[in-house]
Amino acid sequence: MKKIVLIVCILFFASSIRSKAQYVNIPDSNFRNFLKMTYPFCFNSAGMMDTTCNAVLSDTSLDIYSINAVSLTGVQYFKGLKQLSIYNDTELLSIPQLPPALIRFVCTVGKMHSLPQLPNNLIELYCTRNLLDSLPKLPSSLKNLTVFGNKLSALPALSDSLENLDISQNNFAYFPDIPKFLINLSCSNNPFSVVGKLPETLQSLVVYSNNPLCFTRLPLKLKQLLASYYTSVTCLPNFPDSCLYLVVCTGPYTYQTPPVGICNPINNINHCHTIPTVKCLVYVDYNNNGKFDSTEFPKQNVKINLSNNIYSSTDAQGSAFINADSIGTYTVTANAPNFFNAIPVSYTHYLSSYDTLVIDTFALQPNVLKDSLSIIATPINWAARPGFKYAYFINYANDGTTVLSPNLSFNYDNNLLTFDSSSNNAVANNGSSLSLSLGNLLPGQNGSFIAYFRVKTTAPLGANLLCIASLNASSCSAVDSVATAIRGSYDPNDKHATPQLTVQNVTDGNYIQYTIRFQNTGTDTAHDVTITDTLSSYLDPNQIQVVSYSHLNSFSNNGNVIFSSFSEIDLPDSGVDK
């Protein structure tokens, strides 16, 4: 009799579970077939999966190998999974919501451009050889992050809990911010050339195939440095006593261990920083909250001063580097543009070693409500010659403290020029002028485009080619004009200035606008170019302002000598660059 009772109870319990079964369709046939083979008792005759099946709910590990699934919709029902591994699924495009208990997630060789929100307790993320161009917010619990072989150019905020990081074979143009307790870092095969500030906890650093490569400073606890293959390292800023294994490349197929020497003016052919350096970041803080918000913009062409009478100007990313003369105490200030205050007023640093790099941030906060616009038009070509291409670089900006909605126009002489195209497809050609509606332009926001023309073959030599660029909003406007004489021969390297100023022009505070052009007339590519120019004694070097440039560069001066350095410009020789 007891056996009968027991059997009745079991049948009743099973019947009870089946009555609560929840069946779902797994849309990807390859993933569905894989699950049916792995969990055959969790599928009904129609091929639908029971999400209440004990195996689905309780399994803690799921490994998927080369099933050619496009989607893994259905994996979110495996609530107990702690490890999910997807290997060589070359057709995988997306992953749904991940199980909440997951602590290790592996995905290799797929076509995914993005990942879903990551579980709060995730410890390891290993997602390689996909097409990821961004990452979601990373949980604070993450300790291991490996994302080599993707399309990443930036990282979300990295928690200080992170211990191991591999970002090799991505698109990082700049060395990313690294967590302060990181132990192992691999960042090979990225476009950046300078390895910036590294945490003192770092023990292993791998930087294969970055060429050229400079280090700002090596951590004192570093035990392993691998900078091999095509990475040409000629010197190091310092060398930790703890480093037990080091291989660097000192030229093609030439390796040296123990290490190359400490950087000095003779062996430092990569021009690594060997003197204390200050990096400044400047942005427009138009809501005055002291934070660089997503709706705010870096500010270029802001003059940064060091107390050794050397200054620099910020680039398009709002950054500038200034080198100190030696170790010692220095004060850093920023020249706030009109209508703004620089916050803080200054920074003071004691630079105690030659490999020091400090970073200062200046917020430009509005001190008045003011509408203000600016526009600069600069010819790109060496000269205006009949039958040849001729282009203008047009840069515009909201220099005020209010939101404006300006319209841009560029008037040209259609008797001399024929419009070809623009780098901005929204630019409209009206026969003798170009127009562009800019929409809302926030304080500090700027933009640019190139307008391509061709000088007509009928244009007479000596004719004056006049173009006028203007920016107009309801409350303010800005205008710039540029005149060029059409000529038949030219010097490929020249410096052109506006016409001679009258005494009244000087009294009115008018500027002389210089345009400096240069060309590589050698027989090989120029990788780094520095232009040095000595100003006339009649000019005040403290009044120089950089208004635009065709390529990113760093600008600085020392007295009346100015320097423009184009790092990694890779300028082809004139025999190649037609």
Side-chain angles (χ1 to χ4, degrees):
M1 182 66 66
K2 288 182 180 179
K3 291 182 181 180
I4 294 175
V5 173
L6 181 59
I7 292 173
V8 170
C9 289
I10 291 174
L11 290 175
F12 179 79
F13 182 72
S15 175
S16 174
I17 291 296
R18 279 203 180 91
S19 68
K20 295 181 181 179
Q22 297 180 9
Y23 289 99
V24 296
N25 180 49
I26 306 299
D28 189 285
S29 60
N30 290 330
F31 186 43
R32 181 171 63 249
N33 292 335
F34 167 78
L35 293 178
K36 288 175 67 175
M37 292 180 61
T38 309
Y39 306 99
F41 298 106
C42 296
F43 282 79
N44 63 14
S45 58
M48 302 181 70
M49 187 179 77
D50 180 5
T51 60
T52 67
C53 182
N54 184 61
V56 171
L57 294 175
S58 63
D59 208 345
T60 59
S61 179
L62 181 61
D63 295 332
I64 303 172
Y65 291 91
S66 304
I67 64 172
N68 292 324
V70 174
S71 170
L72 296 185
T73 297
V75 75
Q76 65 268 31
Y77 299 113
F78 289 75
K79 305 294 186 182
L81 277 188
K82 294 187 179 297
Q83 175 174 306
L84 173 62
S85 301
I86 307 158
Y87 299 103
N88 300 320
D89 212 324
T90 56
E91 299 303 315
L92 188 60
L93 299 175
S94 64
I95 294 178
Q97 178 183 350
L98 292 168
L102 207 64
I103 61 174
R104 185 174 189 266
F105 177 43
V106 176
C107 53
T108 69
V109 191
K111 296 181 179 180
M112 292 184 297
H113 286 270
S114 61
L115 296 175
Q117 180 180 346
L118 299 174
N120 292 333
N121 297 317
L122 195 69
I123 294 176
E124 181 174 357
L125 174 60
Y126 186 97
C127 199
T128 64
R129 302 195 185 284
N130 277 273
L131 301 174
L132 298 178
D133 49 28
S134 65
L135 292 176
K137 180 181 178 181
L138 300 175
S140 59
S141 57
L142 198 67
K143 290 187 176 182
N144 305 311
L145 175 61
T146 300
V147 285
F148 70 78
N150 285 285
K151 305 291 184 181
L152 298 170
S153 59
L155 291 173
L158 300 176
S159 170
D160 286 339
S161 65
L162 200 67
E163 296 178 355
N164 305 292
L165 175 62
D166 187 344
I167 56 170
S168 301
Q169 300 179 36
N170 278 283
N171 294 327
F172 289 91
Y174 301 97
F175 191 68
D177 292 333
I178 302 299
K180 61 183 180 181
F181 298 122
L182 198 71
I183 297 174
N184 301 300
L185 172 62
S186 180
C187 49
S188 302
N189 292 301
N190 279 287
F192 64 78
S193 59
V194 177
V195 175
K197 187 175 182 180
L198 295 166
E200 286 300 328
T201 55
L202 199 69
Q203 297 181 20
S204 176
L205 174 62
V206 181
V207 282
Y208 287 153
S209 302
N210 293 76
N211 188 26
L213 185 65
C214 293
F215 296 93
T216 58
R217 189 174 182 276
L218 298 178
L220 298 179
K221 294 184 179 180
L222 196 68
K223 295 181 179 179
Q224 173 177 275
L225 170 60
L226 303 177
S228 211
Y229 297 125
Y230 300 103
T231 300
S232 181
V233 179
T234 58
C235 62
L236 297 173
N238 64 314
F239 185 70
D241 293 335
S242 60
C243 200
L244 303 177
Y245 182 68
L246 182 143
V247 178
V248 297
C249 176
T250 57
Y253 313 109
T254 304
Y255 305 97
Q256 183 169 336
T257 183
V260 294
I262 301 299
C263 290
N264 61 57
I266 296 176
N267 65 10
N268 190 13
I269 63 174
N270 288 338
H271 305 292
C272 303
H273 292 299
T274 58
I275 54 179
T277 303
V278 177
K279 177 182 179 180
C280 290
L281 302 173
V282 182
Y283 69 97
V284 176
D285 184 23
Y286 81 91
N287 62 6
N288 287 357
N289 69 348
K291 299 178 180 179
F292 193 1
D293 298 315
S294 60
T295 55
E296 295 172 339
F297 300 92
K299 185 65 174 176
Q300 67 183 56
N301 302 331
V302 174
K303 184 178 178 182
I304 305 297
N305 310 281
L306 202 60
S307 54
N308 61 353
N309 294 321
I310 293 179
Y311 76 84
S312 182
S313 295
T314 55
D315 59 20
Q317 283 74 44
S319 65
F321 289 86
I322 312 179
N323 294 331
D325 298 313
S326 182
I327 60 176
T329 301
Y330 293 87
T331 299
V332 188
T333 58
N335 286 12
N338 292 336
F339 325 125
F340 292 88
N341 294 326
I343 306 297
V345 174
S346 65
Y347 290 91
T348 299
H349 301 287
Y350 177 67
L351 306 179
S352 58
S353 63
Y354 281 88
D355 57 2
T356 300
L357 173 67
V358 297
I359 300 177
D360 296 333
T361 300
F362 288 97
L364 300 179
Q365 297 185 347
N367 54 31
V368 66
L369 288 177
K370 181 66 177 180
D371 299 336
S372 181
L373 296 167
S374 66
I375 188 167
I376 297 290
T378 306
I380 294 178
N381 299 76
W382 308 120
R385 297 180 294 163
F388 284 78
K389 293 181 179 180
Y390 197 66
Y392 292 89
F393 181 79
I394 302 167
N395 184 281
Y396 56 87
N398 181 353
D399 296 325
T401 62
T402 60
V403 180
L404 297 172
S405 299
N407 293 310
L408 185 151
S409 63
F410 183 79
N411 297 320
Y412 64 92
D413 189 341
N414 58 7
N415 293 315
L416 302 175
L417 291 177
T418 299
F419 176 70
D420 183 14
S421 61
S422 170
S423 60
N424 185 338
N425 293 330
V427 171
N429 178 33
N430 303 313
S432 61
S433 67
L434 307 180
S435 61
L436 176 64
S437 179
L438 297 175
N440 286 342
L441 204 62
L442 301 179
Q445 188 173 4
N446 63 78
S448 63
F449 65 90
I450 300 175
Y452 298 95
F453 295 88
R454 186 176 294 275
V455 181
K456 292 186 175 181
T457 56
T458 56
L461 297 182
N464 195 33
L465 183 58
L466 176 65
C467 294
I468 300 174
S470 60
L471 201 59
N472 297 282
S474 59
S475 57
C476 65
S477 61
V479 64
D480 185 40
S481 62
V482 56
T484 309
I486 296 177
R487 51 184 176 170
S489 61
Y490 67 101
D491 182 352
N493 303 287
D494 68 358
K495 181 172 68 175
H496 178 72
T498 55
Q500 182 178 351
L501 298 181
T502 66
V503 174
Q504 185 61 46
N505 292 149
V506 175
T507 302
D508 293 340
N510 291 349
Y511 279 76
I512 298 175
Q513 181 172 313
Y514 288 93
T515 302
I516 300 174
R517 304 177 180 87
F518 59 91
Q519 182 181 12
N520 177 9
T521 58
T523 59
D524 197 3
T525 299
H527 299 289
D528 299 290
V529 174
T530 298
I531 297 174
T532 304
D533 196 9
T534 302
L535 302 176
S536 165
S537 59
Y538 293 104
L539 299 176
D540 182 358
N542 293 319
Q543 298 299 318
I544 294 177
Q545 292 183 12
V546 180
V547 294
S548 65
Y549 36 75
S550 61
H551 294 79
L552 286 177
N553 68 93
S554 60
F555 182 88
S556 62
N557 88 303
N558 189 349
N560 67 335
V561 181
I562 61 174
F563 305 90
S564 293
S565 297
F566 297 81
S567 179
E568 299 182 27
I569 190 173
D570 292 335
L571 180 65
D573 63 86
S574 56
V576 174
D577 187 15
K578 299 297 185 183

